[in-house]
Amino acid sequence: MAKKKWGQNFLIHQKVAEIIVDAADVQNEDSILEIGPGHGMLTRSLLKRNAQVTAVEVDPELCDKLRKQFENVEGFTLLEQDVMELAPEALAKLVSAHAKVVANLPYNIVTPLLLRILPVRKTWQSLTLMIQLEVARRICATPESGKSYGPLSLVGALGFQSKIIKTIRPDSFRPAPKVDSSVIRLVPRNSGLTHEEEKLFLKWSHLLFQQRRKTLLNGIRSHFPEWYQNCEDLLSEKFALRRPESLAFTEWLNLFEDYLQNEKMNPAKALRNNNKKIIN
Ligand code: SAM
């Protein structure tokens, strides 16, 4: 029986697994990290392409089945482990450098997993994932995308070049989820910020994005009064009545540079010590 707590919506058509493997451009001898192999539908497609698969599965019953299913297959390694309990650095070391991540992810861990792996993302060549369509849209969104554009879009833009490859209907899974899914491909990119700055950028932009329909200046005034006081004229001149939801990623980055500049001159305490969750 599928276990809800582990987001078990299993693929029922091998051809959907093939779509994911094609999107990942899996080649002979590629090193692959698969998260949540389940009953092994996607794993089979990966092994058929002669890939070296390291799979991480949390459910002990499924692990037993997987061990039996693939015991004589070369190139398959199973780790019985909750992926969310692995330190990102340990996760990055499970497979050789430039490996590809391929997964039909349990939907409840998509956002927390993306945030966790952000600092080690460049270990991997690409991540090809099946996730909810709505979340995929949020990751890829720009100001022109309307409501989908938000803090998760900034995580996406900061860390990856992302593309939705294909929408997959609920009847491709058992049990069928309530919403459409999609195959998304993420290629890690360099943001130009250090890891520490990236962490700070996400907290900072999340605060300013909270009131997406109010003007950015209002948000700056309430969350960062010292910065506002120091730079009111410049900020008003640059951003006048702009709202957070209208700022493209590069504009967010430029504004962050201004914020960091001001922080260097007038070290503020609030944000660096704030341990609030970044994105819900
Ligand atoms: N790959 C299979 C498929 O495509 O049919 C299963 C996909 S199912 C959506 C998600 C899989 O991830 C399940 O096998 C589930 O047990 C596993 N899983 C859920 N949470 C996990 C976690 N924290 N760490 C490792 N595996 C997890």
Side-chain angles (χ1 to χ4, degrees), residues 3 5-12 17 20 34-43 56-60 62 66 79-85 102-109 130 172-174:
K3 298 170 188 103
K5 68 170 173 175
W6 285 323
Q8 294 181 344
N9 298 98
F10 300 107
L11 284 176
I12 53 174
I20 303 173
E34 185 187 359
I35 299 167
H39 292 295
M41 176 81 82
L42 186 51
T43 321
V56 185
E57 172 60 61
V58 69
D59 183 340
L62 290 177
L66 287 161
L79 204 69
E80 187 172 329
Q81 166 81 49
D82 181 339
V83 75
M84 298 306 284
E85 282 178 4
V102 180
N104 172 15
L105 281 183
Y107 295 161
N108 52 336
I109 68 169
M130 173 89 83
S172 293
F173 305 85
R174 188 163 304 134

Side-chain angles (χ1 to χ4, degrees), residues 149-209:
Y149 188 55
L152 193 57
S153 320
L154 299 186
V155 177
L158 188 73
F160 307 96
Q161 282 177 317
S162 45
K163 188 170 177 206
I164 295 178
I165 308 285
K166 194 168 172 61
T167 302
I168 308 289
R169 300 257 169 248
D171 61 7
S172 293
F173 305 85
R174 188 163 304 134
K178 290 198 173 71
V179 295
D180 281 344
S181 305
S182 71
V183 179
I184 184 173
R185 184 171 149 90
L186 306 171
V187 178
R189 68 180 285 273
N190 196 343
S191 68
L193 301 178
T194 64
H195 291 330
E196 270 309 304
E197 285 169 348
E198 285 190 353
K199 252 166 70 180
L200 194 64
F201 172 81
L202 292 177
K203 282 181 184 168
W204 167 88
S205 55
H206 189 47
L207 277 176
L208 291 176
F209 232 128

Side-chain angles (χ1 to χ4, degrees), residues 88-89 91-92 97-101 113-127 154-161 186-199 202 249:
E89 295 72 21
L91 189 63
H98 303 298
K100 296 170 179 169
V101 179
L113 184 68
L114 266 191
L115 288 168
R116 261 177 97 74
I117 63 169
L118 208 60
V120 296
R121 65 186 182 274
K122 279 174 261 165
T123 332
W124 300 303
Q125 229 182 94
S126 61
L127 299 90
L154 299 186
V155 177
L158 188 73
F160 307 96
Q161 282 177 317
L186 306 171
V187 178
R189 68 180 285 273
N190 196 343
S191 68
L193 301 178
T194 64
H195 291 330
E196 270 309 304
E197 285 169 348
E198 285 190 353
K199 252 166 70 180
L202 292 177
F249 175 66

Side-chain angles (χ1 to χ4, degrees), residues 43-44 47 50-51 63-78:
T43 321
R44 265 196 300 281
L47 291 168
N50 240 356
C63 284
D64 281 347
K65 287 177 80 176
L66 287 161
R67 274 188 283 263
K68 283 185 196 129
Q69 194 181 164
F70 296 115
E71 69 185 345
N72 294 320
V73 181
E74 234 182 85
F76 177 72
T77 310
L78 180 66

